[in-house]
Amino acid sequence: MKYWIAMFPLLLAACANTVEVKDKDDFKCGEQIVRAEFLDDDSIILQINGVNNVLTKVAAASGKRYENIATQIVFMQQNGDYYLTIKGWNYPVCQKIER
């Protein structure tokens, strides 16, 4: 019982650290449609062909750059434009889909 009481504050702290969606947008990058959910921990969930990919923010010379090294996906914003790269393939400039 005393261990449970000692662990209770840690359990509460873990529950308090939730990640929330700040914004979400759909983009058309050439023929590829993607949905980006921008999270409040500076990462994004990029849905491509029904598969969710978590991309983390990395240092960029200008703009914002998110990437997932394992899946080789990069999504970046530069000068107001968005760009998608998958496994070295650069898609045309992404256009936000207005709904």
Side-chain angles (χ1 to χ4, degrees):
M1 181 65 170
K2 66 181 177 181
Y3 296 111
W4 171 250
I5 293 171
M7 295 299 291
F8 190 68
L10 293 175
L11 180 63
L12 286 177
C15 292
N17 294 330
T18 60
V19 178
E20 300 290 329
V21 175
K22 289 191 309 189
D23 194 16
K24 69 173 110 171
D25 290 306
D26 294 326
F27 296 91
K28 187 174 192 291
C29 310
E31 294 301 312
Q32 182 66 58
I33 304 293
V34 299
R35 167 168 281 180
E37 293 184 354
F38 298 88
L39 307 176
D40 63 2
D41 69 347
D42 279 337
S43 64
I44 63 172
I45 298 172
L46 196 66
Q47 187 180 73
I48 304 169
N49 298 328
V51 177
N52 289 334
N53 300 275
V54 177
L55 284 66
T56 55
K57 190 174 182 182
V58 296
S62 63
K64 296 178 182 177
R65 180 182 174 99
Y66 302 90
E67 64 182 46
N68 182 315
I69 295 170
T71 59
Q72 299 177 24
I73 297 173
V74 176
F75 191 67
M76 58 187 267
Q77 178 189 21
Q78 189 173 27
N79 297 326
D81 292 324
Y82 288 88
Y83 301 90
L84 173 67
T85 302
I86 301 175
K87 296 184 179 177
W89 176 261
N90 295 320
Y91 287 81
V93 174
C94 300
Q95 304 297 320
K96 189 184 288 189
I97 299 171
E98 300 297 331
R99 305 227 181 229

